[in-house]
Amino acid sequence: MEAKKVLEDLKRRFPNEPEYHQALEEVLPTIEEEYNKHPEFEKANLIERLCIPDRIYQFRVTWTDDQGQVQTNMGYRVQHNNAIGPYKGGIRFHRSVNLGILKFLAFEQTFKNSLTTLPMGGGKGGSDFSPRGKSNAEVMRFCQAFLLELTRHIGPDVDVPAGDIGVGGREVGYMFGMYKKLTHEFSGVLTGKGLEFGGSLIRPEATGYGNVYFLQEMLKTKGESVKGKRVLISGAGNVAQYTAEKVLELGGTVLTMSDSDGYIYDPDGIDREKLDYIMELKQVMRGRIKEYVDQYPTAKYVEGARPWGEVADIALPSATQNEISEEEAKTLVANGVMAVSEGANMPSTPGAIRVFQEAKIFYAPGKASNAGGVSVSGLEMSQNSGRISWSAEEVDSKLHWIMENIHANCVKYGTEPDGYVNYVKGANVAGFMKVAKAMMAQGIV
Ligand code: NDP
Ligand code: 2IT
């Protein structure tokens, strides 16, 4: 295959999906060489079968708000690839959700899930519904209406959704309840469930912890550690909170957190007590990050900006896609950042990635560094199937092992002649080869 030609063709066939194009563009050139070592892949047109989702469901979701007004939203599920296991991936509820964004996320998820070593295919779903400012009752009615349609497409051995932006324990609980009601079945159809009904310990922490474990592995290769490092985190949601928790545990200083309105910078560092405040603010009060400065006036709040202009050693983007521009990447590098490890999916623009790699700093793409979340989802599936539950220590040690293993695979497939590890290439090639071999073995289906 010729990556450039394949890309041009897919862009022509699926126009107006820039995030999907961007994700393809990041992967195809890096696997081209490996792919072309296997003429049988080309004969089976493996590349198009890997890039184009197996199937996509789209539906209207109708629900009634607290004022009695009927509302409509779009619902989607992209079942990308199930060569190595049931479709698996989160559900995103955010105003910005559209099919192109979910196609990029499902494509990425396929590679990520392959890297985890667990038997999970790739999928993603969601809606342009925004839980922001909605009452509990509205969120419940929406989740129920969404599941009314989605239920027929998912199942514990078919497709297993979980959380993502705008979908946490509350939403997963409401969706699980509706699935159970409709099917008369208590099964592990969703992950990220409450502990009382089949959820796994460490699942809420897993993405953030996993990203910091991955960061530790990268730093270790140069005899460095997180201890004493100044860290910029974006986002203030699930991933950001537990990233901060693990950084603090390892002796790092967390300087920033953010949401889509702006960021806070605390020159004294966000310590354990301050992080507890943020967790309460976001998880219970469902407040905004700017409220932090009312509580801690020595910190500043910068409206309408992202934290990348602040001076630090490490950046852990944990909010959303394309949240680091090329210019911001240049600023980070100029300010001496030595590592960028992605908690979010595709937070760095292509220009930013180029800047990081040309500066030869540690740069970990989300599909490797944020794989801890879906990994513990996979462990939740195992526990559900076996009708058992493991201790926090047991799950955490499995998570740690998985992140070390992903790192080792990136080094194996991504080390360049001068010794620099291209983690993008490493993750893409390692993730691709497993899916490719499984697809070849299963024939033309
Ligand atoms: P949450 O909904 O818990 O938090 C998202 C955070 O990011 C919020 O602070 C939100 O601010 C901010 N954010 C969302 N959209 C935007 C935007 N368009 N611009 C700026 N800020 C934004 O989601 P998660 O923490 O679960 O997810 C964060 C990222 O991590 C996503 O990229 C997700 O795909 C990825 N991820 C999540 C995993 C998980 O297990 N949850 C696993 C692997 C990756 P606001 O409140 O203003 O919207
Ligand atoms: O992007 C991701 O990996 C997630 N949102 C988690 C998916 C999952 O199935 O746990």
Side-chain angles (χ1 to χ4, degrees), residues 76-273:
Y76 309 88
R77 186 71 183 168
V78 179
Q79 296 185 334
H80 192 88
N81 186 296
N82 67 351
I84 63 173
Y87 302 107
K88 178 85 194 89
I91 294 198
R92 177 176 290 191
F93 290 165
H94 193 270
R95 250 185 31 209
S96 61
V97 164
N98 59 40
L99 185 57
I101 289 180
L102 295 177
K103 279 175 72 178
F104 116 64
L105 288 162
F107 174 74
E108 288 283 291
Q109 197 80 45
T110 301
F111 287 77
K112 184 195 303 193
N113 293 2
S114 167
L115 288 170
T116 66
T117 70
L118 303 173
M120 300 180 289
K124 201 89 186 187
S127 173
D128 57 359
F129 169 80
S130 167
R132 186 169 167 181
K134 303 288 192 303
S135 71
N136 249 318
E138 288 176 320
V139 170
M140 183 178 74
R141 286 197 295 277
F142 176 78
C143 288
Q144 292 178 338
F146 183 75
L147 254 282
L148 204 53
E149 192 68 40
L150 190 67
T151 292
R152 71 188 79 187
H153 308 306
I154 60 176
D157 296 315
V158 179
D159 183 351
V160 183
D164 193 77
I165 291 177
V167 177
R170 174 180 65 168
E171 290 75 16
V172 168
Y174 291 149
M175 290 194 270
F176 182 80
M178 193 60 173
Y179 181 86
K180 193 183 58 149
K181 171 110 182 161
L182 290 170
T183 59
H184 278 216
E185 180 183 296
F186 193 108
S187 70
V189 66
L190 288 144
T191 60
K193 299 183 290 298
L195 285 179
E196 305 78 9
F197 53 98
S200 176
L201 287 162
I202 305 294
R203 177 62 189 88
E205 293 87 346
T207 312
Y209 281 18
N211 188 22
V212 181
Y213 294 154
F214 195 93
L215 169 72
Q216 271 186 304
E217 290 305 302
M218 290 199 291
L219 294 177
K220 238 197 256 168
T221 63
K222 289 219 172 118
E224 287 278 2
S225 75
V226 175
K227 198 170 166 49
K229 299 292 186 304
R230 297 161 301 173
V231 181
L232 305 178
I233 296 177
S234 65
N238 170 268
V239 177
Q241 291 168 26
Y242 292 102
T243 299
E245 180 166 288
K246 189 51 82 178
V247 167
L248 290 183
E249 231 179 271
L250 295 175
T253 303
V254 177
L255 293 174
T256 64
M257 286 177 84
S258 70
D259 59 27
S260 52
D261 297 330
Y263 76 91
I264 52 134
Y265 174 85
D266 190 330
D268 308 319
I270 300 169
D271 61 17
R272 181 69 248 189
E273 182 215 313

